[in-house]
Amino acid sequence: MSKRRFVLHIGLEHTGADGVAAGLAEHRERLLELGVRSPARTPDDSLRAAIEMRRLHKAWGFKRREVEGAWADLVRRARKQGPTAHAAVVVSEELLAGASPDQVALLLDSLGGFDVHVVATLRDPASQLVDGWAGAVRAGGSLSLRRYSRRVLDSGRETEEARDFWAGQDVAAVLQRWCSELRSPDRLHVVVPAPGQDRTEATWRTIAELVGVQAEGLPMREPARAPLGPVGLGVLRHVNRAVDGRAQVRESRAALDEQLRAHEPDGLGQSTTGGLSPELHDELCDLADAWAKAVAEGGYSLVGDTAHLQPASPLALGAAYAADTSTTDQRLASATDALADLLVETTRLREHNDELEARVAKLARKKATLKARLAAAMG
C-alpha cells in the first residue's frame, strides 16, 4: 500500500503563506470530499503548532499551556482517515521555515509513515527586507527602516534583528536544513512567483498538483486587506518606543494596527520597496544571486524562474510609496483619528463593563438574601 502524501508549506515569511492557510481552512470540507485533509481547522491552529515546535510562545505572548500539544493535535487529525482511504494532507505555516535542524528533524519524525513533500515560496530580498521590518514594527519594534536594514545586512548577523530575520530568510540555510532531513531534493519544491503574480495562487497551484486536485476549482489568493502603510507604521514605531517594553500588548497593538490601517492616506498603502536606500541595491542584488545559486545547486524541484528574485531597480520604483517616509502632519492626523476611534470603543466597553458589574452586584445581593432565607428556614 502506498504512503499517504503529506505536503507541508513552510513559507518563507511574507511570501503569501497566510493566504494559503486561510484558503485551506475556507475550503476544508470540499478538500476532504476530494481526498485532501487539512488538519488545521483555522490558520490559528497551524500558527500555534508552529509556535510550539519552534518554542516561540513567549515571543508571541502565549503561555506554554496555550500551545502545548498543538502540533500533536494536527498530526492526530492528519492521520485520521477521510472519505477516501488514502487522503493526502496539507498544512501551511510560514513560521516553519525558521525551524532549527533539531526542530525540523523532530517535526518530520512525527510524520513517519507519510510521503512528505515540502513547499517553499521565495521572493526578492528587497521586498522581504521591507516586509520583515514592517513585521518587526507590528511586533513592537521601533527602529527606522534604514537602521533595521543595516542591522539585518551586517555581515556578522549579531544583532537581535539579524538573528530573527535570517532564521527564516537565509534561503540557502533554510532549504538545506529541510532537504537534509527529507533526504531527497526532489521532495523539496521551490516556488518563485513572477513580479505581480499572486503569490498565494502560485503556491497553491504547486500544492494542488502535489495532492492531485484542480487548483482552479478551489481558488486561493492573497488576502485583500491592504498592508499597514508608511504613516501607520510611523505612528506605530513611536507608540512602540513610548511603551518601551513595559507591557505585553500584543492584542492592544493588533487593535491599534487595525485603526491605523483604516486611517492610512489614500495611495500610501501598497507595498513596494521604495523605502529602501538605493545604496543597498547592489548588496541586495548580490544576495538574490546567492539565493538563485543555492536553488540551482541544491537540485530542488523548481517552479518559476529564479531571475525573478532580482529586486527592481530603485530608479524604476518611482516615488509613489516609501515604506518609512511620512510627514509629522500625516502621522499626527492618523494618530488623532485612531485615538478618537479607540476612545469611542473604550467608552463603549467601559459602559458594557459597568452594566455587567451592576448585574453581578444585583445577583450577589439576591444570592445573599436567598442564603439568609434558607438559613432561617433550616434554623
Side-chain angles (χ1 to χ4, degrees):
M1 181 181 296
S2 60
K3 293 182 178 180
R4 295 169 63 198
R5 178 161 291 186
F6 194 117
V7 178
L8 185 64
H9 178 221
I10 62 170
L12 283 50
E13 289 189 65
H14 317 301
T15 62
D18 53 344
V20 176
L24 290 172
E26 178 185 354
H27 299 300
R28 190 166 182 256
E29 296 303 321
R30 178 56 181 152
L31 283 167
L32 194 56
E33 293 173 0
L34 296 173
V36 178
R37 179 173 291 278
S38 174
R41 295 162 295 192
T42 67
D44 188 64
D45 281 355
S46 52
L47 173 64
R48 289 176 185 247
I51 288 173
E52 180 198 19
M53 291 301 295
R54 290 194 57 195
R55 301 168 188 168
L56 295 175
H57 56 279
K58 289 184 179 179
W60 278 77
F62 288 105
K63 294 181 174 61
R64 182 173 179 178
R65 67 173 181 272
E66 293 179 298
V67 301
E68 196 167 20
W71 178 257
D73 286 344
L74 275 192
V75 175
R76 176 180 51 78
R77 290 196 292 269
R79 293 190 182 281
K80 184 178 179 181
Q81 294 291 347
T84 57
H86 306 293
V89 181
V90 182
V91 170
S92 176
E93 176 46 55
E94 61 182 15
L95 280 182
L96 291 174
S100 69
D102 287 344
Q103 291 165 354
V104 172
L106 180 63
L107 185 152
L108 293 180
D109 185 62
S110 72
L111 300 180
F114 285 106
D115 172 29
V116 181
H117 287 248
V118 172
V119 176
T121 310
L122 307 187
R123 189 178 174 213
D124 74 89
S127 296
Q128 291 297 85
L129 185 59
V130 170
D131 280 353
W133 166 75
V137 171
R138 289 195 298 272
S142 61
L143 292 178
S144 67
L145 176 57
R146 179 181 290 271
R147 290 184 63 194
Y148 177 86
S149 300
R150 289 305 350 158
R151 290 191 181 191
V152 166
L153 295 175
D154 180 76
S155 59
R157 299 186 180 180
E158 296 177 352
T159 65
E160 180 182 356
E161 293 79 13
R163 289 192 296 270
D164 288 346
F165 181 84
W166 291 114
Q169 296 292 346
D170 188 335
V171 169
V174 168
L175 298 180
Q176 179 57 38
R177 285 198 298 268
W178 284 91
C179 185
S180 293
E181 293 301 325
L182 288 170
R183 296 184 175 85
S184 178
D186 60 357
R187 290 165 62 193
L188 179 51
H189 308 265
V190 178
V191 181
V192 185
Q197 183 179 11
D198 188 290
R199 292 164 291 168
T200 295
E201 183 180 32
T203 303
W204 170 234
R205 286 182 177 277
T206 297
I207 295 172
E209 184 176 348
L210 287 170
V211 297
V213 299
Q214 294 293 321
E216 293 78 6
L218 299 164
M220 295 187 193
R221 300 186 65 82
E222 293 183 53
R225 186 178 68 172
L228 190 61
V231 176
L233 287 168
V235 173
L236 194 53
R237 279 205 306 118
H238 286 80
V239 170
N240 292 340
R241 185 177 294 121
V243 172
D244 193 27
R246 289 177 293 171
Q248 288 288 341
V249 290
R250 180 168 57 93
E251 296 300 331
S252 300
R253 190 175 287 115
L256 178 58
D257 185 297
E258 290 295 330
Q259 294 298 331
L260 293 173
R261 195 187 308 276
H263 296 291
E264 191 73 27
D266 291 341
L268 290 181
Q270 63 269 34
S271 177
T272 72
T273 56
L276 283 174
S277 171
E279 68 190 31
L280 297 177
H281 183 66
D282 289 344
E283 187 173 354
L284 292 169
C285 285
D286 291 342
L287 185 56
D289 288 337
W291 289 2
K293 181 179 179 182
V295 172
E297 293 181 348
Y300 314 118
S301 175
L302 175 64
V303 181
D305 189 342
T306 54
H308 297 322
L309 294 175
Q310 285 294 324
S313 166
L315 299 177
L317 293 172
Y321 175 80
D324 197 20
T325 302
S326 59
T327 67
T328 300
D329 286 344
Q330 286 175 325
R331 293 195 297 272
L332 178 60
S334 178
T336 301
D337 290 341
L339 180 59
D341 287 347
L342 289 171
L343 179 60
V344 171
E345 179 64 9
T346 300
T347 301
R348 185 191 68 79
L349 291 174
R350 283 187 174 181
E351 291 174 349
H352 183 59
N353 185 65
D354 289 343
E355 292 175 3
L356 292 175
E357 287 184 349
R359 290 174 61 186
V360 169
K362 183 178 179 179
L363 289 171
R365 290 193 298 271
K366 187 174 181 179
K367 178 181 178 181
T369 300
L370 292 173
K371 187 176 181 180
R373 289 178 179 176
L374 179 62
M378 297 178 63

